[in-house]
């Protein structure tokens, strides 16, 4: 069985795909905790037990690895958000979504922030391809929030004249800003407050 690397177009055996996936997953964990700039290729090799020849078989450069990490983290986050938001159709459901994110971040006392946001802050100004990929991933995330708000609007919960796309952008901004404040303070309270204020604004636009 052969697979195709979505970045290089190179055909991979099942074993090769497994090796590549292991390298990307380990690199993602290291970059989340240590930061992108502080994570070296040698760090990744040590964590995975891979050789340099294996690494460069799958990645032309460290930058190629970072782009693969962006894809990996993005798809992981989006899979979580699709599951969390896919069936939300009430304001109470949005509150439960908020609670789950805050409680998950509280387990780390706010440390490290949003995995996708952390990548955006480090690579967007240095790698335009990675920046464009991150922009698309955030657009998909906002789209999931907008879909929830459209369902609320269709059910008559939100006023018909409100812009769900603008509300979704504001909610995403509150979420990401909350992650950053929680990271700086090692306390999720600012994150909870930021999202609560965004949700309170949405609730103020209720049609009832």
């Amino acid at each position: 069985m052969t697979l195709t690397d979505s970045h290089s177009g190179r055909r991979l055996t099942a074993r090769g795909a497994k090796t590549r996936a292991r390298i990307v997953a380990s690199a993602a964990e290291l970059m989340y905790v240590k930061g992108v700039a502080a994570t070296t290729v040698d760090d990744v090799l040590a964590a995975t037990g891979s050789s340099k020849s294996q690494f460069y078989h799958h990645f032309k450069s460290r930058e190629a690895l970072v782009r693969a990490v962006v894809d990996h983290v993005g798809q992981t986050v989006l899979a979580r958000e699709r599951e969390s938001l896919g069936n939300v159709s009430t304001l109470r459901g949005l509150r439960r979504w908020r609670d789950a994110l805050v409680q998950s971040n509280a387990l780390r006392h706010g440390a490290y922030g949003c995995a996708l946001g952390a990548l955006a802050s480090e690579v967007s100004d240095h790698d335009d391809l990675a920046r464009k990929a991150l922009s698309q991933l955030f657009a998909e995330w906002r789209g999931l929030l907008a879909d929830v708000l459209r369902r609320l609007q269709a059910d008559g919960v939100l006023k018909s004249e409100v812009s769900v796309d603008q509300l979704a952008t504001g909610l995403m901004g509150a979420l990401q800003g909350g992650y950053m404040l929680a990271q700086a303070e090692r306390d999720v309270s600012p994150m909870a407050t930021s999202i609560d204020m965004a949700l309170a604004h949405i609730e103020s636009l209720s049609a009832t």
Side-chain angles (χ1 to χ4, degrees):
M1 178 180 177
T2 58
L3 303 171
T4 302
D5 184 330
S6 60
H7 283 272
S8 67
R10 177 183 294 154
R11 294 172 69 84
L12 301 173
T13 64
R15 182 178 179 180
K18 187 175 181 179
T19 297
R20 184 184 188 280
R22 185 175 72 251
I23 291 172
V24 172
S26 292
E29 289 184 26
L30 288 168
M31 290 177 185
Y32 181 49
V33 174
K34 296 181 62 174
V36 175
T39 300
T40 66
V41 170
D42 285 341
D43 291 333
V44 176
L45 297 181
T48 59
S50 303
S51 65
K52 284 195 174 182
S53 62
Q54 284 178 307
F55 178 87
Y56 286 108
H57 175 74
H58 294 289
F59 306 99
K60 292 181 179 179
S61 62
R62 182 178 177 279
E63 288 72 22
L65 173 64
V66 172
R67 292 166 191 164
V69 166
V70 167
D71 287 347
H72 171 77
V73 171
Q75 293 311 314
T76 299
V77 170
L78 286 175
R80 181 197 71 201
E81 292 301 291
R82 289 188 196 103
E83 183 175 355
S84 298
L85 294 167
N87 295 315
V88 173
S89 58
T90 64
L91 291 171
R92 183 174 295 179
L94 266 179
R95 287 283 178 183
R96 286 195 294 267
W97 165 79
R98 168 265 192 212
D99 291 346
L101 289 178
V102 171
Q103 289 167 11
S104 176
N105 203 26
L107 296 175
R108 303 185 299 269
H109 303 288
Y112 313 122
C114 171
L116 201 57
L119 284 170
S121 68
E122 284 207 65
V123 308
S124 293
D125 292 335
H126 308 290
D127 186 331
D128 199 49
L129 287 177
R131 181 195 62 77
K132 289 177 180 177
L134 284 158
S135 177
Q136 180 59 39
L137 289 164
F138 276 113
E140 291 183 40
W141 196 347
R142 285 197 308 272
L144 293 173
L145 291 170
D147 287 344
V148 171
L149 298 174
R150 285 192 186 90
R151 289 194 288 273
L152 292 173
Q153 201 170 51
D155 289 342
V157 177
L158 286 181
K159 295 176 181 178
S160 59
E161 64 268 24
V162 303
S163 169
V164 296
D165 290 325
Q166 288 183 353
L167 288 178
T169 297
L171 183 52
M172 176 61 72
L175 172 62
Q176 292 301 318
Y179 267 121
M180 182 181 68
L181 291 173
Q183 183 179 8
E185 297 189 22
R186 289 297 189 268
D187 180 359
V188 295
S189 297
M191 177 185 181
T193 299
S194 297
I195 304 173
D196 283 345
M197 291 190 72
L199 292 178
H201 176 63
I202 291 170
E203 290 165 351
S204 75
L205 300 173
S206 171
T208 57

